[in-house]
Amino acid sequence: TVPRLKLLPPAAAMASACTLTFRLGRAETMPGEAVLIVGSHRAVGAWDPQGGLRMTTDEAAYPTWSAELQLDIASEGLEYKYVLDRQIDGSGFQWEDGENRSIAIQSTAPPGSSWEVQDTAFGVAGSALAPASPQPLAAPVPAKPADAPAKTKGQASPAACSPEAARGMPLAAQDAAPGLLNSPTGAPHADGLTTTSEGSE
């Protein structure tokens, strides 16, 4: 049976949506055919293949297919199947055999989080859901230091006379430079997931 759908108002849906990336490891097709994700949410057709989510591939990735969408499934989870779209030769839609695939995201998952759904092959049971790998941050570019002012022999640089610099001096050096730590002109020192399988329709 088709589960009753939870239809969120647009504002609520956007606020609680997560990004799901589906990766189907193997699905062989003929030229002009496509792979669809069809399931219990309206974003994947509400069990109507005409409204299913079309997956993509290319010469380098085939026979692996992928698709991405944003939706809220934290409260009810998502049931789905892969469907071959063979309308190009009049064959209609071919549903994969077996039980519905099912995934669920914990309700504690932060809005806007990203998840990856990995399925081995068309018609092969088992789905894995995991947080998507974060992108590495670019290393910060160090600021170019300003040109240091010229100084005469025996004259300390301004940085060496700051309260912060004096605080890092050995005690003997601090004793030899009285008043550095309490200089009135110095700035104050702020000393998931588990996947499950539900019965087919």
Side-chain angles (χ1 to χ4, degrees):
T1 60
V2 177
R4 188 166 65 90
L5 301 178
K6 175 185 178 183
L7 304 180
L8 300 175
M14 182 161 303
S16 57
C18 293
T19 299
L20 292 175
T21 300
F22 291 81
R23 299 195 188 281
L24 179 59
R26 186 175 189 85
E28 297 182 354
T29 58
M30 298 296 290
E33 299 179 344
V35 181
L36 310 174
I37 304 173
V38 184
S40 59
H41 195 284
R42 63 183 178 184
V44 287
W47 294 116
D48 180 1
Q50 293 287 358
L53 177 65
R54 184 174 294 265
M55 306 186 77
T56 60
T57 190
D58 54 35
E59 291 184 3
Y62 182 84
T64 296
W65 298 71
S66 62
E68 182 178 293
L69 77 159
Q70 292 186 333
L71 74 168
D72 172 62
I73 63 170
S75 58
E76 295 183 353
L78 175 70
E79 291 189 7
Y80 66 100
K81 281 191 171 186
Y82 293 108
V83 179
L84 296 182
D85 183 353
R86 292 179 165 169
Q87 297 182 92
I88 191 170
D89 65 358
S91 299
F93 299 102
Q94 178 185 340
W95 294 71
E96 61 178 348
D97 296 328
E99 298 180 339
N100 296 342
R101 300 178 186 269
S102 177
I103 58 174
I105 294 178
Q106 296 177 353
S107 59
T108 55
S113 57
S114 298
W115 302 81
E116 185 168 298
V117 185
Q118 298 181 347
D119 293 304
T120 304
F122 183 89
V124 177
S127 299
L129 175 68
S133 300
Q135 295 297 319
L137 298 176
V141 178
K144 183 179 180 181
D147 293 337
K151 60 181 180 180
T152 60
K153 183 177 180 180
Q155 178 185 1
S157 67
C161 293
S162 68
E164 291 78 6
R167 191 173 296 278
M169 291 180 181
L171 290 177
Q174 294 182 21
D175 293 338
L180 287 180
L181 295 181
N182 298 310
S183 171
T185 60
H189 182 70
D191 271 309
L193 297 177
T194 300
T195 61
T196 61
S197 297
E198 302 293 340
S200 303
E201 54 207 65

